Amino acid sequence: MILKQGFRYVLAGVIFLFATILHAQLKYVPSKTELPPHPRILLLQGEEQQVKANIAAEPAWANIHQTIINECDKMVALKELDRVLTGRRLLSVSREALRRIFYLSYAFRMTGESKYFQKAEKEMLAVSAFKDWNPSHFLDVAEMTMAVAIGYDWLYGELPESSRQTIRDGIFSKGIDPSFNSTDAWFIGAENNWNQVCNAGITFGALAIHEDMPELSKMLIDRAVESIRLPMGDYAPDGAYPEGYSYWGYGTSFNVMFLSAIEKLLHTDFGLSEIPGFMETAGYMMNMTGVASPKLCFNYADCGATGVLNPAMFWFAAKSGDTSLLWEERGMMESDKGIGRDRLLPAVMIWGSQINVASIQPPSGKMWVGQGITPVALIRTSRTSPEAIFVGFKGGTASSSHAHMDAGSFVMEADGVRWAMDFGMEDYNSLESQGVDIWNRQQDGQRWQVFRYNNFVHNTLTVNGQLHRVDGYAKIDSHSDAPDFMHAVSDLSAIFEGQLAHCKRGIAIVNQQFVTVRDELETLDAETTVRWTLLTSADATITGRNVIELKKDGKRLKIEVVEPVGITIKTWPTTSPNTYDTPNPGTTLVGFEATIPAHTKITLLVKLIPQKAKRLSAKIPELESWPKE
């Protein structure tokens, strides 16, 4: 292996790398692989012309292009980034580096204006001078490596040799070399977003300095192709992403950055995109946002509620030829809210370079169901009406990555209002700084004392005030998209092992007018108290023994408990007993408790009725009689 002058290697790392390369056997990448000259990552020399043609042809693309340019004009005046950790993470700095360098490099390639090149060079030199990129939290390394790799590759022809050497050194010594430390680089064997992000970042580094270290570069690509299969296997069988909406936007986007880069250069993705469920995951994401405005997602697990533009969706649409996948993205493009903060936004201009935004039409289906680690059912009455009903319903397990104790939980919208909500994520740094162990998912782990993580404040059931079983799992057992009774059913019995003998929950949109939630359960050998809860940001008023009315934004929703008779509607505050939890102002828990004798079967039947709903007298049959596909 030929090493260019100017690299400053750590001796131990060099020895390890030499030994590894000498013995490595490439499984996927041909040993005689040659790569084109710079720029080679994502956008080859001359391919700017197609992007420019798209910008000239359609206002939607011109708007995104101008957003990037406007952000770059702001960046030019900013001080270069410093190595400042937030808690144990450098991640916010790495992410801002990726945004700045990717945007500025794009702006220079599109406009040729030197101010963008000069600022990008300064940012790359600044981060390359950091003592390290914080390998103890390897996401920080991965995003920084990707940032510097894109800038180095895209601006290579303009960079003086002294800058090239400094930046190459940073890519190798602070990015690639730490990826051989088994303690820090545990992502290689992980099955979550860490694997996707870290393999993508290190691969970009390998592609950037390929001519200086061709054998090492090929070995790193080969390693990534093998490793990234692990998290990609978790999309099976239907494309539901285990970690939810926000982490789909993270893990899948970097996965797609990886696939796009290697396929561009090697003319193959080694069958990765054919892994069961991966191409189907675009359908999952396209259905995960509701109908209310502003757009909100089904924010289960450690996810935020705000719907955002997802650059990876443009790759899926281009690769599959199905532009209806971009129906929600089209709306995000038109709203233009916050898209300038997306650090991967220039990739949209590449992947969407041959897509006509104005011709994008809504998909025909109104229901999407996916099994897997976190099964979900996503149901709506319309793609275009702002008054439509939307329901997101989930099963799953609290033992999976970033999961909450929320099996059986749901969100619900009608008349442009989200009535049944989910708190979603809690701030990791805030909890960690107060000594809270949020990553221990054992049954007695401190994670489950965090207010937003346990089952007590989710839209599900709680038995005798106990936590859900961490090792329990619930799939979607049956479902139907029949227009008058769109529904899904999940057997939650394993979630309540040792608490109930049996428990099933079904959720349906009836006659496209209202939502019903039906729980069928059986107690064990002792009297049991079951609590039914719904979290809302609406004003709640109890209007009858079994009825509560929610009001928000001038709209109303009635919650009616049909069975069991004799219960009393209640409300509970959403104030945590813990000092470390984030406050939850403006929210309320509503629902009821039912005390059930031993060895008793009982049904809990609730209707969620929008103010304009009609045909409310429909009989809701037992779950066994709900139609199945």
Side-chain angles (χ1 to χ4, degrees):
M1 180 176 66
I2 299 173
L3 306 180
K4 286 199 171 183
Q5 265 190 324
F7 280 63
R8 299 185 299 274
Y9 299 117
V10 177
L11 180 60
V14 173
I15 295 172
F16 180 80
L17 285 175
F18 268 108
T20 303
I21 293 166
L22 286 172
H23 293 92
Q25 297 296 318
L26 297 177
K27 183 175 180 180
Y28 302 100
V29 180
S31 59
K32 295 183 179 180
T33 295
E34 298 290 339
L35 299 185
H38 301 285
R40 64 169 71 105
I41 297 175
L42 298 177
L43 189 70
L44 302 180
Q45 186 68 44
E47 291 183 342
E48 302 95 339
Q49 299 310 312
Q50 179 59 53
V51 177
K52 291 178 180 179
N54 227 28
I55 293 168
E58 195 167 3
W61 292 117
N63 289 340
I64 290 189
H65 170 78
Q66 193 58 49
T67 294
I68 297 172
I69 297 301
N70 291 345
E71 289 297 313
C72 288
D73 288 337
K74 297 175 187 175
M75 293 172 187
V76 168
L78 297 176
K79 178 182 178 294
E80 281 74 53
L81 291 164
D82 292 319
R83 189 185 182 279
V84 178
L85 272 66
T86 302
R88 64 190 183 95
R89 297 170 175 83
L90 187 67
L91 192 53
S92 61
V93 177
S94 296
R95 288 174 170 174
E96 179 62 6
L98 179 52
R99 189 180 79 96
R100 290 188 189 185
I101 297 169
F102 201 0
Y103 277 46
L104 290 161
S105 301
Y106 168 89
F108 178 70
R109 290 187 69 175
M110 292 299 124
T111 70
E113 292 192 37
S114 60
K115 63 180 179 179
Y116 301 130
F117 163 79
Q118 291 167 2
K119 179 59 174 173
E121 181 185 22
K122 288 178 181 178
E123 292 290 358
M124 287 191 286
L125 292 174
V127 299
S128 295
F130 289 2
K131 69 174 185 178
D132 61 38
W133 292 341
N134 199 38
S136 63
H137 191 260
F138 212 88
L139 293 176
D140 312 3
V141 175
E143 295 216 30
M144 191 71 83
T145 304
M146 178 175 284
V148 177
I150 290 172
Y152 178 81
D153 177 63
W154 282 20
L155 306 178
Y156 185 88
E158 302 293 324
L159 288 168
E161 182 56 30
S162 59
S163 293
R164 289 180 189 172
Q165 288 186 2
T166 298
I167 297 165
R168 281 197 304 263
D169 185 14
I171 291 172
F172 176 80
S173 64
K174 298 176 176 68
I176 290 172
D177 190 46
S179 79
F180 289 96
N181 182 323
S182 59
T183 300
D184 294 332
W186 58 268
F187 68 85
I188 293 171
E191 295 185 20
N192 58 19
N193 66 85
W194 278 68
N195 184 309
Q196 297 167 299
V197 175
C198 295
N199 272 311
I202 297 304
T203 297
F204 271 54
L207 295 175
I209 64 172
H210 175 79
E211 59 268 88
D212 300 283
M213 297 179 161
E215 300 306 318
L216 174 62
S217 175
K218 286 181 282 189
M219 190 199 74
L220 290 168
I221 298 167
D222 205 78
R223 181 183 74 175
V225 171
E226 178 73 9
S227 173
I228 208 167
R229 293 176 183 274
L230 295 172
M232 291 183 73
D234 285 350
Y235 292 87
D238 307 306
Y241 190 71
E243 299 176 305
Y245 182 90
S246 299
Y247 279 97
W248 188 102
Y250 193 27
T252 308
S253 292
F254 277 78
N255 205 134
V256 164
M257 290 284 279
F258 171 80
L259 294 176
S260 180
I262 65 169
E263 189 169 32
K264 170 76 72 171
L265 297 175
L266 304 178
H267 309 294
T268 178
D269 66 7
F270 305 100
L272 291 172
S273 62
E274 299 172 10
I275 290 176
F278 187 72
M279 290 302 297
E280 290 78 8
T281 197
Y284 161 84
M285 200 58 172
M286 188 258 294
N287 284 279
M288 277 286 283
T289 46
V291 294
S293 182
K295 287 283 186 178
L296 300 174
C297 68
F298 182 13
N299 60 316
Y300 63 82
D302 287 343
C303 295
T306 303
V308 296
L309 183 77
N310 279 286
M313 291 295 286
F314 293 84
W315 181 88
F316 282 104
K319 189 169 183 67
S320 67
D322 181 5
T323 58
S324 72
L325 292 171
L326 296 175
W327 178 248
E328 297 294 338
E329 308 311 314
R330 174 180 173 173
M332 298 293 179
M333 291 173 73
E334 292 170 349
S335 71
D336 194 32
K337 291 185 178 178
I339 62 175
R341 298 304 306 170
D342 191 314
R343 58 199 182 280
L344 301 184
L345 188 60
V348 172
M349 303 301 294
I350 299 170
W351 297 328
S353 63
Q354 299 190 37
I355 292 173
N356 185 311
V357 176
S359 68
I360 295 170
Q361 297 297 312
S364 57
K366 296 176 183 176
M367 183 171 184
W368 192 93
V369 176
Q371 302 288 2
I373 293 173
T374 307
V376 295
L378 308 164
I379 317 169
R380 70 193 70 220
T381 57
S382 172
R383 290 277 177 190
T384 56
S385 171
E387 297 183 345
I389 297 174
F390 169 75
V391 173
F393 174 49
K394 73 177 295 293
T397 173
S399 64
S400 64
S401 179
H402 290 287
H404 293 185
M405 288 182 166
D406 60 359
S409 191
F410 64 95
V411 295
M412 181 263 183
E413 296 176 0
D415 296 328
V417 176
R418 176 154 292 189
W419 300 104
M421 61 173 284
D422 192 308
F423 280 132
M425 67 183 299
E426 180 62 279
D427 183 73
Y428 303 155
N429 288 321
S430 174
L431 294 174
E432 289 172 344
S433 68
Q434 297 179 76
V436 182
D437 181 4
I438 58 174
W439 305 115
N440 179 356
R441 296 195 298 267
Q442 297 299 311
Q443 187 69 44
D444 60 354
Q446 192 178 14
R447 178 178 180 84
W448 309 121
Q449 302 307 313
V450 175
F451 194 65
R452 295 185 177 187
Y453 291 174
N454 60 47
N455 47 282
F456 305 143
V457 292
H458 283 98
N459 305 329
T460 187
L461 302 176
T462 296
V463 178
N464 291 331
Q466 298 179 74
L467 296 171
H468 285 183
R469 293 295 308 170
V470 168
D471 54 359
Y473 170 78
K475 70 179 192 304
I476 303 296
D477 293 278
S478 62
H479 59 89
S480 172
D481 63 356
D484 289 339
F485 204 78
M486 294 187 288
H487 72 268
V489 177
S490 179
D491 189 334
L492 303 175
S493 299
I495 306 298
F496 299 107
E497 183 179 356
Q499 302 173 26
L500 293 171
H502 172 78
C503 181
K504 268 191 176 183
R505 165 166 280 194
I507 296 184
I509 301 177
V510 183
N511 295 327
Q512 302 195 35
Q513 297 292 307
F514 67 93
V515 173
T516 189
V517 183
R518 184 181 179 106
D519 296 297
E520 295 176 357
L521 51 93
E522 181 179 356
T523 56
L524 293 168
D525 55 0
E527 183 178 81
T528 302
T529 298
V530 176
R531 188 174 77 152
W532 189 105
T533 49
L534 181 148
L535 178 66
T536 187
S537 60
D539 294 329
T541 304
I542 297 173
T543 58
R545 185 178 181 88
N546 66 331
V547 177
I548 191 165
E549 184 176 73
L550 304 183
K551 293 181 181 179
K552 187 173 182 179
D553 299 339
K555 307 293 177 60
R556 299 191 307 275
L557 180 89
K558 183 171 71 172
I559 302 177
E560 178 184 354
V561 181
V562 180
E563 298 182 55
V565 297
I567 61 89
T568 299
I569 287 280
K570 295 183 178 182
T571 65
W572 295 268
T574 55
T575 303
S576 170
N578 307 316
T579 58
Y580 50 73
D581 281 310
T582 300
N584 304 298
T587 59
T588 306
L589 272 174
V590 303
F592 61 92
E593 291 180 336
T595 300
I596 309 164
H599 301 298
T600 299
K601 295 181 179 181
I602 191 170
T603 295
L604 313 180
L605 180 61
V606 181
K607 292 181 179 180
L608 312 179
I609 306 170
Q611 64 190 63
K612 296 180 182 179
K614 302 174 182 177
R615 294 187 289 163
L616 304 179
S617 60
K619 179 177 173 56
I620 309 301
E622 61 185 24
L623 295 176
E624 185 61 33
S625 299
W626 287 21
K628 303 177 179 62
E629 282 197 348

